[in-house]
Amino acid sequence: MEGRILSGMRPTGPLHLGHLFGALDNWVKLQDKYDSFFMIADWHAMMSEYEDPSRLSRFTMECAADWLACGIDPEKSVIFVQSHVKEHLELYMAFSNFVPLGRLERCPTYKEQLREVTTRELHTYAFLGYPVLQAADILIYKADIVPVGKDQVPHIELTNDIGGKFNSLYGKAIFPSVKPLLTSIPKLLGIDGRKMSKSYDNFIALGDSEETIKKKCSGMFTDPERIKLTDKGHPEKCNVYAYYNLLKKDYAPEVYEYCASAKVGCTECKKKLGDIISDYLEGIRHKREALLKDEDKIRAILEKGAAKARKAASETMAEVKKAIGLV
Ligand code: TRP
Ligand code: SF4
């Protein structure tokens, strides 16, 4: 093994194609090379869903099922739920003592969320501390590498500041520095051409039925300059083409050609894409359905994962308490 990785997702909604191409495909490859920890960050989800957490447990089970269906293997990786390992919160507390308020208030993700999220009240104590808990998630396992999206890089920088500060305050080199690992896959836009997001409801979920996928594809935004069938299209400006490029790369040149020469219309092009996505997700869809019929099996996998995670986390926490001098 080349080192340890840790990553996580918040169970706030269904997983979709963005998660598959932006993270899961990569995690599946990484688990062969690294000692891997994958965490369902339910406490982080609570920071935004605290008013109505009723769907959290369902999303947690579905998230686990999606991961397993996509090929995260519990024999290779530790798959667990954040709230099952209480040491995360202990380390978060230890860090909270010295993290400067201003550093958190200036965090770009914090400022952006406060600006953009209007459906939830996020001016809370916990939400400000979001990246401190994330630092604890990472450092409690002494992860070397954290596979994340670009938006999360400030949180990794903060993690390194926090680990370094702890080491220097208490005179022990407990925490190593961590590196983000960014995926090279270009971001897929939502079916309406906007950023793919749960709040816009513009994604194709891994668990969507064939019928739903086809319906969503038929409503996708296309090249706005191609109005009539005889208008030549600009595939490089079309979101549908971007999906082809990612899902069926060897077929993309053909799409390019028929679009640019106005040989095939958008309706047909989108219909074909619906078939391709539906086929692409078929295996995942069946596996996740089978898993979700047997929730006890998912629970057992998560419990086993939590036991492994707890072992590593409690070792770090013992070192932390000793370094601080808690009796
Ligand atoms: N903040 C991450 C996100 O929104 C989720 C997360 C929580 C995470 N803890 C983590 C990611 C630790 C990597 C490592 O995507
Ligand atoms: Fe987009 Fe296909 Fe229409 Fe071209 S033919 S504009 S690629 S949907």
Side-chain angles (χ1 to χ4, degrees), residues 269-280:
C269 185
K270 289 191 279 188
K271 189 166 177 297
K272 248 191 261 171
L273 180 67
D275 295 341
I276 287 169
I277 297 180
S278 180
D279 287 353
Y280 194 94

Side-chain angles (χ1 to χ4, degrees), residues 6-10 39 41 44 82 130 133-134 137-138 146-148 151-152 155-156:
L6 175 128
S7 198
M9 285 183 194
R10 288 173 306 138
M39 174 189 77
H44 276 112
Q82 187 183 36
Y130 184 113
L133 180 58
Q134 187 166 349
D137 297 336
I138 296 166
V146 184
V148 280
D151 62 309
Q152 295 288 306
H155 292 175
I156 308 302

